[in-house]
Amino acid sequence: MIGLGIESTAHTFSCAVIEKNGKKGKILSDVREIYRPPKGEGIHPREASRHHIENSPTVLSDCLKEAKITIKDLDIISYAAGPGLGPCLRVGAVVARSLASYYDIPIYPVNHAIGHIELGKLLTGAKNPLVLLVSGGHTMLLAFLNKQWRVFGETLDITLGQLLDQFGRSIGLASPCGRNIEELAKTSSKYVTLPYSVKGNDVSYSGLLSATKSIVQNSKADACFSLQETAFAMVSEAVERALSFTRKKELLIVGGVAANKRLSEMLKNVCKRHGCKFFISPQKFAGDCGSQICWTGLLENQVKKGVSLENTFVTQSWRLDSVKINY
Ligand code: AMP
Ligand code: MG
């Protein structure tokens, strides 16, 4: 079974081809182009969608070339139907619909967040993990029960990715800023006290963002170091509580922020204390990519024949805990 997956929820336009044999999946190609706003600015949905429209033909043809297949070899097509930015989502959906209707290939709308989790499970081999999803659009702690991912804790305001990106932009970095903040943080070890806000199993980052902006005039490096230490300690506390409560023996981190070495170092220590296995998505596949959508579509295909073109919706708000998983 060969699938094509199309991701276009925010900054990334990506197409991937995966070959599925039983429970195994082999990524044959994963090609992407990332929209980068001007320094100091965030994603402009119209500009991002223009970027996706302009790049979609080359990304798609490079992806098929790299996988050494043609469109006619595809058994299914999946696209990210949400959550995400409306104008961006529509680009992926239009490409998927056009191919599916012209070539008569079954089509699958996929929840982007579920995609992060399923690809993480495929690539790490985690079986029944507590999942920490940390990305531009999500900060969530999840456990699977009775066919649905249940939210154990989440952010009450902005996500961890937004915290890093918004702070980074305020000091003139180009978005996405997580990687640059990580580099700057490595050059300091001076901790400046910042507000630490864990409420039950949830975290709140907006006060931390304002406070970090107010200490930055002394040293950007100290501010980045202190921001990371505080934000990651907060999420680690929530993970530790969730591990004690759920008694899960595996922790899986997925989403773009999973690329951060300091975050994984802290969470590895939490896992050690709880006798829990630590899994992390490989850096190349931690952030948004076509493979996450492709693999989830292939899993859906085990139990569903695809949807009719009238049902190829896109929806900006589509919570992952509302998705029933039957495969
Ligand atoms: P995603 O939405 O899953 O593609 O993740 C994008 C988010 O990951 C953005 O907010 C980035 O700033 C963040 N990110 C990427 N690399 C790193 C890193 N090394 N450290 C922290 N955050 C990162
Ligand atoms: Mg994402």
Side-chain angles (χ1 to χ4, degrees):
M1 177 72 57
I2 296 183
L4 167 72
I6 302 173
E7 157 60 29
S8 72
T9 56
H11 43 64
T12 303
F13 185 86
S14 171
C15 293
V17 172
I18 299 183
E19 184 170 12
K20 181 171 180 288
N21 277 313
K23 289 195 164 157
K24 289 195 180 143
K26 186 173 176 205
I27 299 173
L28 302 183
S29 66
D30 187 309
V31 179
R32 43 192 111 153
E33 280 296 337
I34 299 177
Y35 156 77
R36 298 199 188 275
K39 274 191 179 179
E41 291 180 26
I43 299 182
H44 189 306
R46 198 187 58 221
E47 293 306 317
S49 76
R50 194 196 307 269
H51 164 274
H52 296 351
I53 291 166
E54 284 168 4
N55 284 282
S56 55
T58 357
V59 170
L60 176 64
S61 70
D62 288 356
C63 160
L64 296 171
K65 246 184 251 159
E66 206 178 303
K68 299 193 175 68
I69 60 156
T70 67
I71 293 179
K72 290 185 178 148
D73 297 318
L74 293 171
D75 297 301
I76 68 162
I77 294 175
S78 332
Y79 69 97
L85 304 168
C88 298
L89 287 168
R90 280 195 286 277
V91 180
V94 165
V95 175
R97 261 184 228 128
S98 316
L99 294 175
S101 65
Y102 189 80
Y103 292 95
D104 195 21
I105 301 170
I107 185 167
Y108 292 78
V110 164
N111 180 290
H112 170 91
I114 301 277
H116 272 300
I117 302 175
E118 295 299 357
L119 184 67
K121 284 178 69 188
L122 171 74
L123 297 178
T124 61
K127 296 273 177 302
N128 179 21
L130 177 76
V131 173
L132 174 64
L133 169 58
V134 273
S135 64
H138 293 85
T139 297
M140 276 185 171
L141 260 173
L142 302 142
F144 193 74
L145 182 73
N146 292 340
K147 299 184 183 246
Q148 264 164 289
W149 285 97
R150 314 284 166 168
V151 180
F152 198 84
E154 62 187 315
T155 178
L156 296 172
D157 38 54
I158 55 173
T159 67
L160 187 46
Q162 283 166 339
L163 169 70
L164 297 171
D165 292 344
Q166 288 187 26
F167 174 70
R169 291 203 295 272
S170 77
I171 59 169
L173 299 175
S175 218
C177 314
R179 202 196 182 103
N180 290 329
I181 291 178
E182 181 175 18
E183 290 310 314
L184 269 169
K186 278 185 197 155
T187 64
S188 163
S189 56
K190 183 171 175 230
Y191 183 73
V192 183
T193 306
L194 288 170
Y196 178 101
S197 178
V198 178
K199 301 180 180 181
N201 300 319
D202 298 324
V203 293
S204 161
Y205 284 133
S206 58
L208 176 57
L209 173 63
S210 313
T212 315
K213 284 180 182 169
S214 75
I215 60 160
V216 79
Q217 71 281 4
N218 295 331
S219 155
K220 281 185 187 170
D222 295 351
C224 289
F225 173 75
S226 308
L227 173 66
Q228 280 201 169
E229 291 302 301
T230 313
F232 298 166
M234 283 163 58
V235 90
S236 300
E237 181 189 326
V239 166
E240 186 145 17
R241 188 172 296 116
L243 283 177
S244 309
F245 187 83
T246 60
R247 313 252 162 141
K248 294 275 182 201
K249 288 294 161 212
E250 297 178 333
L251 173 69
L252 169 65
I253 324 179
V254 295
V257 187
N260 189 289
K261 295 281 177 298
R262 179 60 183 139
L263 176 64
S264 49
E265 185 183 40
M266 279 194 195
L267 290 169
K268 261 185 210 158
N269 284 331
V270 169
C271 285
K272 244 188 229 159
R273 281 198 290 278
H274 288 263
C276 167
K277 279 193 194 157
F278 177 80
F279 296 98
I280 187 156
S281 279
Q283 197 152 346
K284 183 177 173 202
F285 296 101
D288 297 349
C289 60
S291 295
Q292 70 190 84
I293 306 306
C294 188
W295 180 242
T296 310
L298 285 163
L299 292 172
E300 285 276 341
N301 167 262
Q302 293 174 183
V303 291
K304 213 162 84 182
K305 285 210 167 92
V307 301
S308 63
L309 283 180
E310 299 81 69
N311 288 322
T312 51
F313 60 92
V314 296
T315 172
Q316 297 196 86
S317 308
W318 184 17
R319 277 182 69 94
L320 82 167
D321 52 347
S322 67
V323 179
K324 274 261 189 282
I325 294 177
N326 293 309
Y327 44 80

